[in-house]
Amino acid sequence: MANKKAFITGISGQDGSYLSELLLSKGYEIAGFVRRNAALDFGNANEIKDEIKIYYGDLHSPESIALALLDFKPDEIYNLASLSSPLGSFKDKFGTIMVTGIGALNVFERAKQIVPDARIYQASTSEMFGAPTQVPQNEDTPFAPANPYAAAKEFAHRMAVIARHDKNQPQFIACGILFNHESPRRGLNFVTRKISAAVACIKNEKKFGVPLNEIGKPIVENGKLKLGDLEAKRDWGYAVDYVGLMWMMLQHDIADDFVAATGEVHTVGEFAKEAFAVVGLNWEDFVETDSHFIPPVQTGPLCGDASKAKKILGWEPRTKFKDLVKIMVHADLAKFS
Ligand code: NAP
């Protein structure tokens, strides 16, 4: 039997690269959909670029999606591309809605015309729950997005469910409602990675090449790391564990929604404390708060109940919070040496 073919949008991102590695290990043929850039850089997919087929395109352009699908004819489509920063989405509302919301619909609609039997994974998010009163949150918790990113994701999620139930031409679109998942490949505009990179720069006494934060300043300035709300509560898992669920969802006999989460909640302050402790430092000596990093509308506390994924698919996260922090700090100690 021929190898299965998977088409992954957002392959240069954190999840796209880990998912590609997983699918390559299962013998899949992979195509990645990437935005063209002058440096011809494939981000997190650079390491595997020779093992995958690249299609240049943009979720803004239904034409570019159609051309890739017509040529590659995938069995599975993983729609991971998005402008994925909740805080950043307040500064680019239209861009976020066009890529993260309408862009997903472009993928669903083009797939329906060109590869109607392809199974689709849609990257939904726990951010859609907003500031929920129900704790923990599961697949039945009402959505109440508190930022433009979450609103765009909710639109895409609802369009996926509608397409799934279309009596004339139902599509297999499964939605993973994933809680925060992190790794050394997480973007530097996300708080966990900002912390692990800052710990590494401070410990290694790095003077040059300190990475920049989302407002264009070095993440460590005058020996200090600036963060937003230290009391914000999140459910953080390890991205490598979570991409396994994406694949499992597309092997299941029906398209459904599944929450992926650890069920364990920590504050941003606790993440920082744990990360500085990995290198024997006291976080309170280095962390300051800065209102630039506090969103105008707050989300959370987010805490997921992934019992449905465990019961039906046999999935559960393997990596514990403390191990995740260690993995990220050790990777950044080597990267920012
Ligand atoms: P990520 O690292 O930010 O990757 C996003 C990807 O989308 C990048 O490859 C980016 O390409 C691509 N992209 C952005 N705009 C595009 C456009 N207009 N056309 C085509 N591609 C575009 O995100 P991630 O952490 O891997 O997350 C994967 C997906 O899961 C995202 O949809 C995210 O919103 C969702 N999600 C993530 C989490 C989490 O905690 N990580 C939780 C729930 C849901 P460039 O390299 O060109 O920027």
Side-chain angles (χ1 to χ4, degrees):
M1 206 174 105
N3 291 350
K4 273 196 183 172
K5 292 163 94 175
F7 178 69
I8 303 174
T9 73
I11 201 163
S12 59
Q14 171 187 262
D15 292 3
S17 60
Y18 285 124
L19 176 67
S20 301
E21 288 165 15
L22 174 74
L23 298 184
L24 284 169
S25 75
K26 291 183 184 296
Y28 274 68
E29 211 179 307
I30 309 281
F33 194 59
V34 295
R35 291 192 284 184
R36 190 183 290 279
N37 57 62
L40 292 181
D41 180 31
F42 302 131
N44 284 312
N46 271 331
E47 298 281 307
I48 50 161
K49 67 177 186 308
D50 297 332
E51 296 169 73
I52 60 181
K53 187 164 184 176
I54 298 289
Y55 289 93
Y56 288 109
D58 195 304
L59 288 202
H60 280 305
S61 158
E63 178 72 3
S64 65
I65 299 167
L67 288 173
L69 294 180
L70 270 169
D71 187 62
F72 189 64
K73 300 213 170 46
D75 305 293
E76 296 174 6
I77 298 170
Y78 295 85
N79 183 40
L80 308 184
S82 104
L83 291 178
S84 62
S85 163
L87 179 62
S89 73
F90 283 100
K91 297 219 169 74
D92 184 13
K93 299 186 181 81
F94 289 94
T96 301
I97 299 298
M98 292 309 294
V99 175
T100 305
I102 305 291
L105 182 59
N106 285 335
V107 173
F108 305 159
E109 288 293 297
R110 290 300 171 268
K112 184 158 110 178
Q113 293 163 343
I114 297 163
V115 279
D117 295 330
R119 295 185 164 201
I120 303 176
Y121 172 87
Q122 167 59 19
S124 293
T125 169
S126 57
E127 289 280 329
M128 299 187 307
F129 297 126
T133 48
Q134 177 187 325
V135 181
Q137 299 91 41
N138 64 23
E139 295 78 4
D140 299 322
T141 306
F143 300 140
N147 55 62
Y149 162 75
K153 282 287 190 187
E154 186 192 3
F155 167 79
H157 182 95
R158 294 208 185 275
M159 294 311 294
V161 174
I162 290 167
R164 200 189 285 166
H165 293 120
D166 185 327
K167 283 204 174 56
N168 297 325
Q169 195 185 343
Q171 277 181 289
F172 189 113
I173 310 183
C175 299
I177 306 173
L178 270 50
F179 282 63
N180 286 57
H181 45 280
E182 318 295 312
S183 76
R185 298 183 192 173
R186 189 65 146 145
L188 280 154
N189 53 336
F190 289 89
V191 66
T192 52
R193 183 72 200 294
K194 210 157 45 170
I195 293 170
S196 64
V199 167
C201 291
I202 290 168
K203 181 67 182 175
N204 290 335
E205 296 178 11
K206 198 165 172 58
K207 300 268 181 300
F208 305 103
V210 174
L212 304 181
N213 61 26
E214 57 268 60
I215 56 168
K217 297 268 175 63
I219 54 168
V220 179
E221 239 182 345
N222 305 320
K224 301 289 181 190
L225 161 66
K226 290 183 176 162
L227 299 175
D229 180 7
L230 299 177
E231 293 305 315
K233 292 190 173 82
R234 292 290 183 275
D235 177 330
W236 281 296
Y238 185 32
V240 173
D241 295 342
Y242 286 43
V243 297
L245 178 67
M246 298 177 186
W247 174 77
M248 289 169 127
M249 285 173 60
L250 293 200
Q251 315 317 306
H252 187 46
D253 43 7
I254 53 163
D256 203 350
D257 299 334
F258 288 95
V259 158
T262 67
E264 205 180 305
V265 175
H266 294 275
T267 64
V268 169
E270 284 165 358
F271 193 104
K273 181 178 178 187
E274 199 63 44
F276 277 93
V278 171
V279 296
L281 296 175
N282 178 4
W283 72 292
E284 285 167 319
D285 295 336
F286 302 97
V287 172
E288 287 178 348
T289 51
D290 182 331
S291 60
H292 279 108
F293 304 116
I294 298 179
V297 188
Q298 292 272 35
T299 291
L302 294 179
C303 173
D305 167 11
S307 50
K308 179 177 170 185
K310 184 174 180 187
K311 186 168 165 223
I312 297 179
L313 302 176
W315 178 87
E316 57 185 328
R318 284 171 297 183
T319 311
K320 295 285 171 215
F321 176 74
K322 286 189 181 211
D323 294 325
L324 168 67
V325 178
K326 276 195 204 117
I327 290 168
M328 293 180 68
V329 171
H330 286 302
D332 277 338
L333 283 168
K335 187 175 172 83
F336 301 111
S337 56

